[in-house]
Coordinates of all heavy atoms in Angstrom, one line a residue:
M22 N 75.0 152.5 111.9 CA 76.2 151.5 112.0 C 75.7 150.4 113.0 O 74.9 150.7 113.9 CB 77.3 152.2 112.5 CG 78.1 153.0 111.4 SD 79.6 153.8 112.1 CE 78.9 155.4 112.3
E23 N 76.1 149.3 112.8 CA 75.8 148.2 113.7 C 77.1 147.5 114.2 O 78.1 147.5 113.6 CB 75.0 147.1 113.0 CG 73.6 147.4 112.6 CD 72.8 146.4 112.1 OE1 73.3 145.2 112.0 OE2 71.7 146.5 111.7
A24 N 77.0 146.8 115.4 CA 78.0 145.9 115.8 C 77.4 144.7 116.5 O 76.2 144.9 116.9 CB 78.8 146.7 116.9
T25 N 78.1 143.6 116.6 CA 77.6 142.5 117.1 C 78.2 142.2 118.5 O 79.5 142.3 118.5 CB 77.8 141.3 116.2 OG1 77.1 141.5 115.0 CG2 77.2 140.0 116.7
L26 N 77.5 141.8 119.5 CA 78.1 141.5 120.8 C 78.7 140.0 120.8 O 77.8 139.1 120.4 CB 77.0 141.6 121.8 CG 77.4 141.5 123.2 CD1 78.3 142.7 123.8 CD2 76.2 141.4 124.2
T27 N 79.8 139.8 121.2 CA 80.3 138.5 121.3 C 80.0 137.8 122.6 O 79.4 138.3 123.4 CB 81.9 138.5 121.2 OG1 82.4 138.9 122.5 CG2 82.5 139.3 120.1
V28 N 80.3 136.5 122.6 CA 79.9 135.7 123.9 C 80.6 136.3 125.1 O 80.2 136.1 126.3 CB 80.2 134.1 123.6 CG1 79.3 133.7 122.7 CG2 81.5 134.0 123.3
K29 N 81.8 136.9 124.8 CA 82.5 137.5 126.0 C 82.1 138.9 126.3 O 82.6 139.6 127.1 CB 83.9 137.6 125.5 CG 84.7 136.3 125.5 CD 86.2 136.5 125.2 CE 87.0 135.2 125.3 NZ 88.4 135.5 125.1
G30 N 80.9 139.4 125.7 CA 80.4 140.7 125.9 C 81.1 141.8 125.3 O 81.1 143.0 125.7
Q31 N 81.9 141.6 124.3 CA 82.7 142.6 123.6 C 82.0 142.9 122.2 O 81.3 142.1 121.7 CB 84.1 142.0 123.2 CG 84.9 141.7 124.6 CD 86.2 140.9 124.3 OE1 86.4 140.3 123.3 NE2 87.1 141.1 125.2
I32 N 82.4 144.1 121.8 CA 81.9 144.5 120.4 C 83.1 145.1 119.7 O 84.1 145.6 120.3 CB 80.8 145.6 120.5 CG1 81.2 146.7 121.2 CG2 79.5 145.0 121.1 CD1 80.2 147.9 121.0
T33 N 83.1 145.1 118.4 CA 84.1 145.9 117.7 C 83.4 147.1 117.0 O 82.3 146.9 116.4 CB 84.7 145.0 116.5 OG1 85.3 143.9 117.1 CG2 85.6 145.8 115.6
L34 N 83.9 148.2 117.3 CA 83.2 149.4 116.8 C 83.6 149.5 115.3 O 84.7 149.3 114.9 CB 83.8 150.7 117.5 CG 83.6 150.8 119.0 CD1 84.2 152.0 119.5 CD2 82.1 150.8 119.3
P35 N 82.5 149.8 114.5 CA 82.8 149.9 113.0 C 83.9 150.9 112.7 O 84.0 151.9 113.4 CB 81.5 150.4 112.5 CG 80.5 150.0 113.5 CD 81.1 150.0 114.8
K36 N 84.7 150.7 111.7 CA 85.8 151.6 111.4 C 85.4 153.0 111.1 O 86.0 153.9 111.7 CB 86.5 151.1 110.1 CG 87.7 151.9 109.7 CD 88.5 151.3 108.7 CE 89.7 152.1 108.3 NZ 90.1 153.3 108.9
A37 N 84.2 153.2 110.5 CA 83.7 154.5 110.3 C 83.5 155.3 111.6 O 83.9 156.5 111.7 CB 82.5 154.6 109.5
L38 N 83.0 154.6 112.6 CA 82.8 155.2 113.9 C 84.1 155.4 114.7 O 84.3 156.5 115.3 CB 82.0 154.3 114.9 CG 81.7 154.8 116.2 CD1 81.0 156.1 116.2 CD2 80.8 153.8 117.1
R39 N 85.1 154.5 114.6 CA 86.5 154.6 115.2 C 87.1 155.9 114.6 O 87.7 156.7 115.2 CB 87.3 153.5 115.0 CG 86.7 152.2 115.8 CD 87.8 151.1 115.8 NE 88.4 150.8 114.6 CZ 88.0 149.8 113.7 NH1 86.9 149.2 113.9 NH2 88.6 149.7 112.6
D40 N 87.0 156.0 113.2 CA 87.7 157.2 112.5 C 86.9 158.5 113.0 O 87.6 159.4 113.2 CB 87.5 157.0 111.0 CG 88.4 155.9 110.4 OD1 89.3 155.4 111.1 OD2 88.2 155.5 109.3
A41 N 85.6 158.5 113.0 CA 84.9 159.7 113.4 C 85.2 160.1 114.9 O 85.3 161.4 115.1 CB 83.3 159.4 113.3
L42 N 85.5 159.2 115.8 CA 85.9 159.6 117.1 C 87.4 159.6 117.3 O 87.9 159.9 118.5 CB 85.3 158.4 118.1 CG 83.8 158.5 118.2 CD1 83.3 157.2 119.0 CD2 83.2 159.7 118.7
H43 N 88.1 159.4 116.3 CA 89.5 159.4 116.3 C 90.1 158.4 117.3 O 91.1 158.7 118.1 CB 90.1 160.8 116.6 CG 89.6 161.9 115.7 ND1 89.9 162.0 114.3 CD2 88.6 162.9 115.9 CE1 89.3 163.0 113.9 NE2 88.5 163.6 114.7
L44 N 89.6 157.3 117.3 CA 90.0 156.2 118.3 C 91.0 155.3 117.7 O 91.0 155.1 116.5 CB 88.8 155.3 118.7 CG 87.7 156.0 119.5 CD1 86.5 155.1 119.6 CD2 88.3 156.5 120.9
K45 N 92.0 154.8 118.5 CA 93.0 154.0 118.0 C 93.1 152.8 119.1 O 92.5 153.0 120.2 CB 94.3 154.6 117.8 CG 94.9 155.3 119.0 CD 96.1 156.1 118.6 CE 96.8 156.8 119.8 NZ 95.9 157.6 120.7
T46 N 93.9 151.8 118.7 CA 94.0 150.6 119.6 C 94.5 151.1 121.0 O 95.4 152.0 121.1 CB 95.1 149.7 119.1 OG1 94.6 149.2 117.8 CG2 95.3 148.5 120.0
G47 N 93.8 150.6 122.0 CA 94.2 150.9 123.4 C 93.5 152.1 124.0 O 93.5 152.4 125.2
D48 N 92.8 152.9 123.2 CA 92.0 154.1 123.7 C 90.9 153.6 124.5 O 90.3 152.5 124.3 CB 91.4 154.9 122.5 CG 92.5 155.8 121.9 OD1 93.7 155.9 122.4 OD2 92.3 156.4 120.8
R49 N 90.4 154.4 125.5 CA 89.3 154.1 126.3 C 88.1 155.0 125.9 O 88.3 156.1 125.4 CB 89.7 154.3 127.8 CG 90.7 153.4 128.3 CD 91.3 153.6 129.7 NE 90.2 153.5 130.7 CZ 89.8 152.4 131.2 NH1 90.4 151.2 130.8 NH2 88.7 152.3 132.0
V50 N 86.9 154.5 126.1 CA 85.7 155.2 125.8 C 84.8 155.2 127.0 O 84.8 154.3 127.9 CB 84.9 154.7 124.6 CG1 85.8 154.9 123.4 CG2 84.5 153.3 124.8
L51 N 84.0 156.2 127.2 CA 83.0 156.3 128.3 C 81.6 156.0 127.7 O 81.3 156.8 126.7 CB 83.1 157.7 128.9 CG 82.1 158.0 130.0 CD1 82.3 157.2 131.2 CD2 82.2 159.5 130.5
F52 N 80.8 155.2 128.3 CA 79.4 155.1 127.9 C 78.5 155.9 128.9 O 78.6 155.6 130.1 CB 79.0 153.6 127.8 CG 79.7 152.8 126.8 CD1 80.9 152.2 127.1 CD2 79.2 152.7 125.6 CE1 81.6 151.4 126.2 CE2 79.9 152.0 124.5 CZ 81.1 151.4 124.9
E53 N 77.8 156.9 128.4 CA 76.9 157.6 129.3 C 75.5 157.4 129.0 O 75.2 157.5 127.8 CB 77.3 159.1 129.2 CG 78.7 159.5 129.7 CD 79.0 160.9 129.6 OE1 78.6 161.7 130.5 OE2 79.5 161.3 128.5
E54 N 74.7 157.1 130.0 CA 73.2 156.9 129.7 C 72.6 158.3 129.8 O 72.7 159.0 130.7 CB 72.6 155.9 130.8 CG 71.2 155.7 130.4 CD 70.6 154.6 131.4 OE1 71.3 154.2 132.5 OE2 69.5 154.1 131.1
L55 N 71.7 158.5 128.8 CA 70.8 159.7 128.8 C 69.5 159.3 129.4 O 69.1 158.1 129.7 CB 70.5 160.1 127.2 CG 71.9 160.4 126.5 CD1 71.4 160.7 125.0 CD2 72.7 161.5 127.1
E56 N 68.7 160.4 129.7 CA 67.4 160.2 130.4 C 66.5 159.3 129.5 O 65.7 158.6 130.1 CB 66.8 161.5 130.7 CG 67.5 162.3 131.8 CD 66.7 163.6 132.1 OE1 65.5 163.7 131.9 OE2 67.4 164.5 132.7
S57 N 66.7 159.4 128.3 CA 65.9 158.6 127.3 C 66.2 157.1 127.4 O 65.4 156.3 126.8 CB 66.0 159.1 125.9 OG 67.3 158.9 125.4
G58 N 67.2 156.8 128.0 CA 67.7 155.3 128.0 C 68.8 155.0 126.9 O 69.3 154.0 126.8
A59 N 69.0 156.0 126.0 CA 70.0 155.9 125.0 C 71.3 156.1 125.6 O 71.4 156.7 126.7 CB 69.7 156.8 123.8
Y60 N 72.3 155.7 124.9 CA 73.8 155.9 125.4 C 74.5 156.8 124.4 O 74.3 156.8 123.2 CB 74.5 154.6 125.6 CG 73.9 153.9 126.9 CD1 72.8 153.2 126.9 CD2 74.7 154.0 128.0 CE1 72.3 152.5 128.1 CE2 74.3 153.3 129.3 CZ 73.1 152.6 129.2 OH 72.7 152.1 130.3
I61 N 75.5 157.6 124.9 CA 76.4 158.1 124.1 C 77.8 157.6 124.4 O 78.1 157.2 125.5 CB 76.4 159.7 124.2 CG1 76.6 160.2 125.6 CG2 75.1 160.3 123.7 CD1 76.8 161.7 125.8
I62 N 78.7 157.6 123.3 CA 80.1 157.1 123.6 C 80.9 158.3 123.5 O 80.9 159.1 122.5 CB 80.4 156.1 122.4 CG1 79.5 154.9 122.4 CG2 81.9 155.6 122.6 CD1 79.6 153.9 121.3
T63 N 81.8 158.5 124.5 CA 82.7 159.6 124.6 C 84.2 159.1 124.6 O 84.4 158.4 125.5 CB 82.4 160.6 125.7 OG1 81.1 160.9 125.7 CG2 83.4 161.8 125.7
P64 N 85.0 159.5 123.7 CA 86.4 159.0 123.8 C 87.1 159.6 125.1 O 86.8 160.8 125.4 CB 87.1 159.7 122.5 CG 86.1 160.1 121.6 CD 84.8 160.3 122.5
L65 N 87.8 158.8 125.8 CA 88.6 159.3 127.0 C 90.1 159.4 126.6 O 90.9 158.8 127.1 CB 88.4 158.2 128.2 CG 87.1 158.1 128.7 CD1 87.0 157.1 129.9 CD2 86.6 159.5 129.3
T66 N 90.2 160.5 125.8 CA 91.6 160.8 125.4 C 92.0 162.0 126.0 O 91.2 162.9 126.4 CB 91.7 160.8 123.8 OG1 90.8 161.8 123.4 CG2 91.5 159.5 123.1
T67 N 93.3 162.2 126.3 CA 93.8 163.4 127.0 C 94.4 164.3 125.9 O 95.4 163.9 125.1 CB 94.8 163.0 128.1 OG1 94.2 162.2 128.9 CG2 95.4 164.2 128.7
D68 N 94.0 165.5 125.8 CA 94.6 166.5 124.9 C 95.9 167.0 125.6 O 96.0 167.3 126.7 CB 93.6 167.7 124.7 CG 94.1 168.7 123.7 OD1 95.3 169.0 123.6 OD2 93.4 169.4 123.1
V69 N 97.0 166.9 124.7 CA 98.3 167.3 125.1 C 98.3 168.7 125.9 O 99.0 168.9 126.8 CB 99.3 167.1 124.1 CG1 99.2 168.4 123.1 CG2 100.6 167.2 124.6
Q70 N 97.3 169.5 125.5 CA 97.4 170.9 126.1 C 97.1 170.8 127.6 O 97.4 171.7 128.4 CB 96.2 171.8 125.4 CG 96.7 172.2 124.0 CD 98.0 173.0 123.9 OE1 98.2 173.8 124.8 NE2 98.7 172.8 122.9
T71 N 96.2 169.8 128.0 CA 96.0 169.6 129.5 C 97.1 169.3 130.3 O 97.1 169.4 131.6 CB 94.9 168.5 129.7 OG1 95.4 167.3 129.3 CG2 93.6 168.8 128.9
L72 N 98.3 168.8 129.7 CA 99.6 168.6 130.4 C 100.3 169.8 130.7 O 101.3 169.7 131.5 CB 100.3 167.5 129.7 CG 99.6 166.2 129.4 CD1 100.4 165.3 128.5 CD2 99.2 165.5 130.7
K73 N 100.0 170.9 130.0 CA 100.7 172.1 130.2 C 100.9 172.5 131.6 O 99.9 172.6 132.3 CB 100.2 173.3 129.4 CG 101.0 174.4 129.4 CD 100.3 175.7 128.6 CE 101.2 176.9 128.6 NZ 100.6 178.0 127.9
G74 N 102.2 172.6 132.1 CA 102.5 173.1 133.5 C 102.5 172.0 134.4 O 102.7 172.3 135.7
C75 N 102.3 170.8 134.0 CA 102.3 169.7 135.1 C 103.7 169.4 135.6 O 103.9 168.7 136.6 CB 101.6 168.4 134.5 SG 102.5 167.6 133.3
V76 N 104.7 169.8 134.8 CA 106.1 169.5 135.2 C 106.8 171.0 135.3 O 106.7 171.8 134.4 CB 106.9 168.7 134.2 CG1 108.3 168.5 134.7 CG2 106.3 167.4 134.0
S77 N 107.5 171.2 136.4 CA 108.1 172.6 136.6 C 109.5 172.5 136.2 O 110.2 171.5 136.2 CB 108.0 173.0 138.1 OG 108.7 172.1 138.9
Y78 N 110.0 173.5 135.7 CA 111.4 173.7 135.1 C 111.9 175.1 135.5 O 111.2 176.1 135.2 CB 111.4 173.5 133.7 CG 112.8 173.7 133.0 CD1 113.9 172.8 133.3 CD2 113.1 174.9 132.3 CE1 115.1 173.0 132.8 CE2 114.5 175.1 131.7 CZ 115.4 174.2 132.0 OH 116.6 174.3 131.4
R79 N 113.0 175.2 136.3 CA 113.4 176.5 136.7 C 114.6 177.1 135.9 O 115.0 178.2 136.2 CB 113.9 176.3 138.2 CG 112.7 175.8 139.2 CD 113.1 176.0 140.6 NE 112.2 175.3 141.5 CZ 111.0 175.7 141.9 NH1 110.5 176.8 141.4 NH2 110.3 175.1 142.7
G80 N 115.1 176.3 135.0 CA 116.3 176.8 134.1 C 115.7 177.8 133.1 O 114.6 178.2 133.0
S81 N 116.8 178.3 132.4 CA 116.3 179.1 131.3 C 115.7 178.5 130.1 O 115.9 177.2 130.0 CB 117.6 179.9 130.8 OG 118.5 179.0 130.2
A82 N 114.9 179.1 129.3 CA 114.3 178.5 128.2 C 115.3 178.0 127.2 O 116.4 178.6 127.0 CB 113.3 179.5 127.5
K83 N 115.0 176.9 126.6 CA 116.0 176.3 125.6 C 115.4 176.5 124.2 O 114.2 176.4 124.0 CB 116.2 174.8 125.8 CG 116.8 174.4 127.3 CD 118.1 175.1 127.5 CE 118.6 174.8 128.8 NZ 119.7 175.7 129.3
T84 N 116.3 176.7 123.2 CA 115.8 176.7 121.8 C 115.8 175.4 121.3 O 116.2 174.4 121.8 CB 116.9 177.4 120.9 OG1 118.1 176.7 121.0 CG2 117.2 178.8 121.5
V85 N 115.0 175.3 120.2 CA 114.9 173.9 119.5 C 116.2 173.3 119.2 O 116.4 172.1 119.4 CB 113.9 174.0 118.3 CG1 113.9 172.7 117.5 CG2 112.6 174.4 118.7
Q86 N 117.1 174.2 118.7 CA 118.5 173.6 118.3 C 119.2 173.1 119.6 O 119.9 172.1 119.5 CB 119.3 174.9 117.7 CG 118.8 175.4 116.4 CD 117.5 176.2 116.5 OE1 117.2 176.7 117.5 NE2 116.9 176.4 115.3
E87 N 119.1 173.9 120.7 CA 119.7 173.3 122.0 C 119.0 171.9 122.4 O 119.8 171.0 122.8 CB 119.6 174.4 123.1 CG 120.4 175.6 122.9 CD 120.1 176.7 123.9 OE1 118.9 177.0 124.3 OE2 121.1 177.3 124.4
M88 N 117.8 171.9 122.3 CA 117.2 170.6 122.6 C 117.6 169.4 121.7 O 118.0 168.3 122.1 CB 115.7 170.8 122.5 CG 115.1 171.6 123.7 SD 113.3 171.7 123.8 CE 113.0 173.0 122.7
D89 N 117.6 169.8 120.3 CA 118.1 168.8 119.3 C 119.6 168.4 119.6 O 119.9 167.2 119.6 CB 118.0 169.4 118.0 CG 116.6 169.4 117.4 OD1 115.7 168.7 118.1 OD2 116.3 170.1 116.4
A90 N 120.5 169.4 120.1 CA 121.8 169.0 120.3 C 121.9 168.1 121.5 O 122.7 167.1 121.6 CB 122.6 170.3 120.6
A91 N 121.1 168.3 122.6 CA 121.1 167.6 123.8 C 120.6 166.2 123.5 O 121.1 165.2 124.0 CB 120.3 168.2 124.9
I92 N 119.6 166.0 122.6 CA 119.1 164.7 122.3 C 120.2 164.0 121.5 O 120.4 162.8 121.8 CB 117.8 164.8 121.5 CG1 116.6 165.4 122.3 CG2 117.5 163.5 120.8 CD1 115.5 165.8 121.6
S93 N 120.8 164.6 120.6 CA 121.8 163.9 119.8 C 123.0 163.6 120.6 O 123.6 162.4 120.5 CB 122.4 164.8 118.6 OG 121.4 165.1 117.6
A94 N 123.4 164.4 121.5 CA 124.5 164.0 122.4 C 124.3 162.9 123.4 O 125.1 162.2 123.7 CB 124.9 165.3 123.3
N95 N 123.0 162.7 123.7 CA 122.6 161.6 124.6 C 121.9 160.4 123.9 O 121.5 159.4 124.7 CB 121.7 162.2 125.8 CG 122.5 163.2 126.6 OD1 123.5 162.8 127.3 ND2 122.2 164.4 126.6
A96 N 121.9 160.4 122.6 CA 121.2 159.3 121.8 C 122.0 158.0 122.2 O 123.2 158.0 122.0 CB 121.2 159.6 120.4
G97 N 121.3 157.0 122.5 CA 122.0 155.7 122.8 C 122.4 155.6 124.3 O 122.9 154.5 124.6
D98 N 122.2 156.6 125.1 CA 122.6 156.6 126.5 C 121.3 155.9 127.2 O 120.4 156.7 127.5 CB 122.9 158.0 127.0 CG 123.3 157.9 128.5 OD1 123.5 156.9 129.0 OD2 123.1 159.1 129.1
A99 N 121.3 154.7 127.4 CA 120.2 154.0 127.9 C 120.3 153.8 129.4 O 119.8 152.8 129.9 CB 120.0 152.7 127.2
S100 N 120.9 154.6 130.1 CA 121.2 154.5 131.6 C 120.0 155.0 132.3 O 119.1 155.4 132.2 CB 122.3 155.2 132.1 OG 122.4 156.7 131.6

């Protein structure tokens, strides 16, 4: 795959590469230099599993039905 560098120093990653890396608009990527001088591109996306436990909740567990009811009851409440 090839890409062309613009006068602003930007490139557009080919669609096949974006698809293979599961990249979408706004995603960030990391360029890492290898000892050989080559570079690898790594998507900087956060897996939702890494967020587990980042917010504490002390109440009782809620069922999906209870959550749906709470969402419906407060839909449109933009306060």
Side-chain angles (χ1 to χ4, degrees):
M22 287 181 257
E23 289 184 4
T25 302
L26 187 68
T27 70
V28 294
K29 291 184 174 183
Q31 299 172 336
I32 60 171
T33 299
L34 299 177
K36 182 169 178 5
L38 180 58
R39 293 190 316 265
D40 289 347
L42 295 175
H43 307 287
L44 293 171
K45 60 187 180 311
T46 301
D48 284 350
R49 298 178 58 84
V50 295
L51 175 67
F52 295 89
E53 296 179 85
E54 185 176 11
L55 302 177
E56 287 184 24
S57 65
Y60 283 82
I61 58 173
I62 300 172
T63 306
L65 289 178
T66 54
T67 303
D68 185 329
V69 71
Q70 293 297 325
T71 63
L72 301 175
K73 183 178 181 181
C75 70
V76 177
S77 62
Y78 176 71
R79 299 192 193 283
S81 61
K83 304 297 181 196
T84 67
V85 172
Q86 292 78 13
E87 289 171 319
M88 289 185 274
D89 285 344
I92 291 168
S93 295
N95 293 295
D98 181 14
S100 51

